[in-house]
Amino acid sequence: MTNPQKTSRREFLTALTAAGIATAGLVPAGAAMAADARFTIKGDDFLLDGQPFHIMAGEMHYPRIPRELWRDRLKKLKSLGLNTLCTYMFWNAHEKRPGQYDFTGNLDIVAWIRMAQEEELWVLLRPGPYVCGEWDSGGYPAWFLNDPTIKPRSLDPRYMGPSGEWLKRLGQEIAHLEIDKGGPILMTQVENEYGSYGNDLTYMRAVKDQVRAAGFAGALYTVDGAAVIENGAIPELFNGINFGTYDKAEKEFARYGQFKKSGPRMCTELWGGWFDHFGEMHSSMPIPPLIESLKWMLDQKISLSFYMVHGGTSFGFDAGANFDKNTRTYQPDISSYDYDAMLDEAGRPTPKFEAAKTLFQNYLPADRFAPLPEPEKAIEIKRFRLTESASLSQLLGKPASAAAPKTLEQLGQPHGLVLYRHKAATALSGQLSFGDVRDYAQVSVGGVPVGTLDRRYHETALEIAAQKGAAIDVLVDTMGRINYGDQIGKDQKGLVGAVKLGDKTLSGWDHYSLTLEDLSGLTFGKTHIDGPAFYRGTFEITEAGYTFLDMRGWGKGYVWVNGHNLGRHWSVGPQHALFVPAPWLKVGTNEVIVLDLHEGAERTLSGGKNQIWDRPGLVEV
């Protein structure tokens, strides 16, 4: 994908379409719907119970919103005048390890869809298996693509078998929530913007068959960019198109009309904002061109869906990554998925929300606009010191040994860090090089740091000198797996390929897996620790509310508040605060733990009412 700061907006969005970036939408299947179906297509209209139905949807993702806040966000969607929720299903969130499914708590998708129904919202379902969405590996579990020779999004049986099983398991959970079975699901999407990735309609129809076999009997649809719709759209289904703020809706639908002459039209993803990569400029997009596209579509009675109406947060390890195919540069996504959306990361209506609502009020009856819920309170937390520390080495368990370094996937590790250790059999001196480092490595020899390697800069080698018997340690921190384009399924993590000193291969490596899923084994003390360490402190609050932890002054790592992993922090920006939802805080004493891979003298935090961005501004035209 291209850098939005070095290209025009139009070229940028066109490049995204060509690269296959996350943008999908909503809408139904045409030819094979049952005669008595409640949701159908007739002529140029969607029909709901026999009456023309104009889909006005907004996308939100359940894992990016604490469950306690789901209803608040759904009510706000409704308050904008929208009538439909669009939502991905995330395979890797539900099946982190083979055969171990989780549909509880924040992953209770039945509760998510039922709650939408309770709020009188219809649902457009996007089950993947590939979803993109700036989500780790586009939704594919790490264990599934442990072999780079597997060809995702193809008829490769090593792909189709597990992906079909996932859809079948998903169908057992939610297929009964389709509209003709009493639920709110109007349509279910087949794949996701496949036309930006490939052009095998035999594969697309095979995925469609898997969706049907999973029990989804209602309307099906596909989504693509208009420029590549012939590559991915199944013509006998409804086909939506996706485009962004700076694309002229009239032009996009004129291109769509070359593919499909009749039937309803829909912008299945209207990108009113954009996402951010670590180390780049914070993205925002202006309001006027978005409103212009909206007005034109409303005048034409074209259905639409905002991507995103509320982005939320990619907590923990869930953020994905992009890959610039021109420069072969890895671009990890930040944890905030604010997306410059209608509702900000904390769920607050933005000026973009108000502008769209003002427009919609000219087209919709007053009763379409539900009242906004009472706003949550933003709280400030006075700066406090994290006075205790614990070495990362406390979490080192029994190592796995192998001649050559293994990836996380080969180790059966879904995410986190791995410490690779080689004991020098003889004195060594020269250039230590790796096939690839994914994604950030700290190298030390005999306990002494010698340098870091950052994948974003294609760094794979440094100079070392080691005495006989010294440990060569390579601590690798993994960032998001690539979630779009031709690198999907090829982004296995850790050290990849042979490790060499000069032209000699170093054989014999111990692997210490650090999943960071359980910190209960840490023992904290007051002593100073050199190198990567956990820091612990407490703070008091006297009233409920949310806050943003100010991470300025820290290096790189992760943050937990009361056991909840808030995501990644990294001084390279553009994000310098981590969102702490109100339900994760408690009146009284709260605990925060920060893992920082970098040493630093000042270990303090504070909480503020807003996200902290550096270098804010609009994506260049």
Side-chain angles (χ1 to χ4, degrees):
M1 156 182 150
T2 54
N3 185 330
Q5 307 315 313
K6 297 180 180 179
T7 186
S8 73
R9 286 183 186 275
R10 177 65 194 181
E11 291 171 334
F12 177 45
L13 294 171
T14 301
L16 291 172
T17 300
I21 275 200
T23 53
L26 348 96
V27 212
M33 287 188 274
D36 59 349
R38 291 185 60 196
F39 184 78
T40 59
I41 290 174
K42 184 177 181 181
D44 292 339
D45 292 319
F46 298 121
L47 298 182
L48 180 60
D49 295 329
Q51 299 299 313
F53 183 68
H54 184 212
I55 297 174
M56 294 182 66
E59 182 128 359
M60 297 193 292
H61 301 148
Y62 54 101
R64 285 174 160 142
I65 308 166
R67 180 169 178 167
E68 297 90 336
L69 301 176
W70 284 356
R71 193 174 299 276
D72 174 86
R73 304 307 192 253
L74 292 170
K75 285 181 178 294
K76 288 172 179 173
L77 187 154
K78 188 80 183 249
S79 72
L80 187 56
L82 305 181
N83 56 22
T84 304
L85 166 70
C86 188
T87 184
Y88 281 134
M89 299 286 110
F90 298 91
W91 180 6
N92 57 5
H94 295 283
E95 192 183 4
K96 284 185 167 59
R97 290 175 174 83
Q100 297 179 21
Y101 291 96
D102 184 2
F103 293 98
T104 63
N106 230 78
L107 299 177
D108 188 343
I109 52 177
V110 171
W112 172 240
I113 296 171
R114 284 293 191 198
M115 192 178 293
Q117 186 176 29
E118 292 166 4
E119 295 301 324
E120 299 181 332
L121 291 165
W122 300 103
V123 172
L124 295 168
L125 191 69
R126 311 177 71 184
Y130 166 73
V131 299
C132 193
E134 289 72 61
W135 190 266
D136 185 52
S137 199
Y140 292 134
W143 58 263
F144 170 44
L145 296 176
N146 63 348
D147 181 348
T149 68
I150 296 173
K151 297 178 180 178
R153 310 181 77 182
S154 81
L155 293 171
D156 184 340
R158 297 173 296 174
Y159 172 83
M160 291 298 287
S163 66
E165 286 300 312
W166 155 244
L167 289 171
K168 180 180 178 182
R169 182 65 181 82
L170 183 64
Q172 293 171 8
E173 290 292 319
I174 57 173
H176 69 283
L177 295 174
E178 291 182 302
I179 181 172
D180 290 334
K181 303 167 189 173
I185 299 172
L186 298 179
M187 297 187 289
T188 301
Q189 185 177 306
V190 176
E191 241 270 0
N192 186 41
E193 282 198 322
Y194 178 72
S196 299
Y197 179 86
N199 59 1
D200 185 352
L201 290 188
T202 302
Y203 159 72
M204 283 295 291
R205 288 191 172 98
V207 177
K208 180 195 74 173
D209 291 344
Q210 287 189 334
V211 173
R212 287 291 190 219
F216 294 98
L220 305 181
Y221 70 107
T222 65
V223 301
D224 286 288
V228 293
I229 193 167
E230 290 88 352
N231 292 343
I234 301 174
E236 60 267 27
L237 303 183
F238 175 79
N239 315 119
I241 59 171
N242 305 330
F243 52 85
T245 298
Y246 281 91
D247 293 308
K248 296 290 186 181
E250 184 174 4
K251 183 177 179 181
E252 295 298 312
F253 280 103
R255 175 63 180 85
Y256 173 79
Q258 297 174 22
F259 172 74
K260 190 161 268 191
K261 305 296 183 184
S262 62
R265 293 175 293 171
M266 182 171 180
C267 176
T268 41
E269 266 192 24
L270 179 57
W271 316 319
W274 208 245
F275 53 88
D276 294 300
H277 301 133
F278 276 112
E280 295 184 3
M281 177 178 174
H282 171 52
S283 298
S284 63
M285 290 196 179
I287 295 171
L290 174 66
I291 299 302
E292 181 182 343
S293 283
L294 285 173
K295 185 178 187 306
W296 185 86
M297 287 189 284
L298 290 169
D299 288 339
Q300 302 295 317
K301 296 182 174 56
I302 293 172
S303 291
L304 58 95
S305 178
F306 290 110
Y307 191 99
M308 301 286 295
V309 72
H310 171 54
T313 308
S314 301
F315 295 110
F317 309 97
D318 290 334
N322 296 324
F323 190 78
D324 187 328
K325 63 181 181 181
N326 296 316
T327 62
R328 310 302 291 174
T329 298
Y330 172 74
Q331 301 167 308
D333 296 331
I334 65 174
S335 290
S336 172
Y337 202 55
D338 178 90
Y339 211 86
D340 190 31
M342 302 285 171
L343 302 170
D344 73 4
E345 186 175 5
R348 295 172 290 199
T350 67
K352 196 172 290 183
F353 178 100
E354 300 299 339
K357 184 172 182 177
T358 298
L359 175 68
F360 292 162
Q361 286 171 333
N362 296 325
Y363 291 86
L364 303 173
D367 62 5
R368 277 286 294 270
F369 301 92
L372 277 168
E374 286 295 316
E376 296 177 88
K377 185 175 181 60
I379 61 175
E380 294 183 342
I381 299 168
K382 291 182 179 180
R383 186 160 294 278
F384 63 97
R385 188 177 299 279
L386 283 71
T387 58
E388 297 180 300
S389 59
S391 172
L392 179 66
S393 63
Q394 288 187 25
L395 296 183
L396 299 183
K398 184 178 179 181
S401 300
K406 292 180 175 291
T407 64
L408 268 73
E409 290 78 7
Q410 290 170 333
L411 293 169
Q413 182 179 340
H415 47 240
L417 290 75
V418 172
L419 175 64
Y420 296 86
R421 176 168 290 168
H422 172 81
K423 288 291 186 68
T426 62
L428 300 173
S429 180
Q431 185 182 73
L432 182 69
S433 64
F434 307 90
D436 202 0
V437 174
R438 300 178 184 172
D439 299 297
Y440 183 87
Q442 294 177 304
V443 182
S444 61
V445 176
V448 179
V450 295
T452 61
L453 300 172
D454 189 333
R455 182 183 181 186
R456 297 176 303 145
Y457 303 124
H458 310 277
E459 295 172 346
T460 58
L462 43 62
E463 296 291 324
I464 69 163
Q467 297 179 349
K468 179 181 179 180
I472 300 173
D473 284 352
V474 185
L475 179 65
V476 178
D477 181 22
T478 65
M479 307 291 282
R481 291 178 180 83
I482 294 167
N483 56 257
Y484 83 94
D486 63 3
Q487 294 302 299
I488 295 171
K490 298 179 175 62
D491 194 21
Q492 288 74 32
K493 295 299 185 180
L495 295 181
V496 177
V499 182
K500 294 185 177 182
L501 187 74
D503 58 1
K504 178 184 177 183
T505 300
L506 291 186
S507 182
W509 290 87
D510 288 335
H511 305 71
Y512 297 88
S513 292
L514 298 157
T515 64
L516 304 182
E517 292 174 342
D518 182 4
L519 305 185
S520 62
L522 293 174
T523 300
F524 286 88
K526 301 282 189 178
T527 58
H528 172 78
I529 295 175
D530 294 324
F534 295 92
Y535 298 85
R536 186 171 70 177
T538 60
F539 58 92
E540 303 283 331
I541 61 173
T542 58
E543 57 182 339
Y546 62 84
T547 195
F548 289 85
L549 280 185
D550 182 352
M551 300 304 301
R552 289 175 294 186
W554 293 79
K556 185 181 193 303
Y558 302 82
V559 180
W560 293 260
V561 170
N562 296 329
H564 297 278
N565 189 333
L566 304 181
R568 298 181 173 100
H569 71 90
W570 197 0
S571 59
V572 299
Q575 174 185 359
H576 291 287
L578 287 172
F579 177 56
V580 189
W584 293 359
L585 293 173
K586 56 189 177 182
V587 173
T589 303
N590 295 266
E591 178 192 70
V592 59
I593 296 175
V594 179
L595 170 61
D596 201 339
L597 302 181
H598 299 166
E599 292 187 38
E602 187 69 15
R603 297 300 185 187
T604 66
L605 291 171
S606 65
K609 295 181 179 181
N610 296 294
Q611 182 57 262
I612 302 170
W613 300 111
D614 64 7
R615 296 176 292 147
L618 300 178
V619 181
E620 290 180 1
V621 176

